[in-house]
Amino acid sequence: GRAVYQTEVYLHNGRLTSFVMLHNGNFLDWDCRLFHSDDNGVSWFDGGKNPWFDEFVFMRGAITLKNGHVAIAYHYFPISRDENEELKKLWNKKAWLLSSNAAYTGCGIVLSMDGGETFVRKPELRIEMKNGSERIWLWSEPALVQLSDNRLAMLMRKDGSGKLFLSFSEDEGM
């Protein structure tokens, strides 16, 4: 079987889109997919792989900006398919995603400038998986908001630090 992790649902032009991550139960063998519903969630169909990331990504909150652009926050882990396969070989030793060599988590947005029809992945912020000299795992789970002065603010967890990380975009994510 596969574990299912649904990280975000958003509505655009009457269509619900759900970002879903399937994995093997130890957060390996990810398959990041989009599922759509055109009948208010009564039925769903597979919309295919996430077009901006092959795997190891969590799509988070989608917001519509004052200018009509749509921004969807994400965080992902730079883990190669080869590293995934090596971690699976250690399965009996309880290896899982946390055993990877990922040095950072990338946080950013995909941005639509045509009201949600097409999206472009924008440059990301990279947060080291360290607290001082100690290696930590980050589930940054970014949250995105547009402020009254039109800047975008992204708030992210920094596990183990007792702090949140705050980043601003002065150009609405451009």
Side-chain angles (χ1 to χ4, degrees):
R2 306 277 285 162
V4 178
Y5 197 132
Q6 183 270 308
T7 60
E8 173 64 12
V9 177
Y10 85 101
L11 177 65
H12 174 69
N13 289 339
R15 171 173 279 179
L16 288 168
T17 297
S18 175
F19 294 97
V20 175
M21 187 267 293
L22 307 165
H23 64 83
N24 71 352
N26 275 12
F27 289 93
L28 295 173
D29 282 342
W30 288 26
D31 185 10
C32 298
R33 306 194 72 77
L34 298 128
F35 286 86
H36 303 292
S37 174
D38 294 325
D39 59 7
N40 295 315
V42 174
S43 61
W44 294 84
F45 63 93
D46 188 342
K49 288 189 123 348
N50 182 317
W52 314 290
F53 299 89
D54 289 331
E55 50 210 18
F56 298 108
V57 67
F58 288 94
M59 301 303 291
R60 295 295 178 181
I63 64 170
T64 300
L65 307 179
K66 294 173 191 172
N67 62 10
H69 295 176
V70 178
I72 305 172
Y74 69 81
H75 76 264
Y76 92 104
F77 303 101
I79 298 169
S80 69
R81 178 57 42 197
D82 288 343
E83 185 175 7
N84 179 78
E85 293 303 315
E86 289 300 314
L87 289 169
K88 282 176 25 187
K89 290 177 187 174
L90 300 173
W91 182 262
N92 62 345
K93 296 180 182 168
K94 302 294 183 199
W96 63 308
L97 186 62
L98 298 179
S99 305
S100 79
N101 292 318
Y104 64 90
T105 183
C107 296
I109 63 170
V110 293
L111 182 68
S112 171
M113 295 181 287
D114 57 11
E117 298 301 319
T118 60
F119 287 85
V120 175
R121 182 175 162 186
K122 303 307 279 185
E124 68 198 20
L125 172 69
R126 293 181 175 182
I127 303 173
E128 282 190 291
M129 292 209 233
K130 288 184 178 180
N131 186 18
S133 61
E134 178 188 359
R135 176 171 159 65
I136 60 170
W137 192 259
L138 293 177
W139 296 104
S140 55
E141 299 176 329
L144 190 61
V145 66
Q146 187 170 29
L147 304 174
S148 60
D149 63 5
N150 291 331
R151 292 180 303 156
L152 295 184
M154 183 181 284
L155 192 61
M156 297 152 280
R157 293 186 334 167
K158 177 109 182 188
D159 297 334
S161 71
K163 298 177 183 175
L164 295 173
F165 192 90
L166 178 61
S167 178
F168 295 101
S169 170
E170 303 289 335
D171 60 5
E172 297 182 309
M174 299 297 284

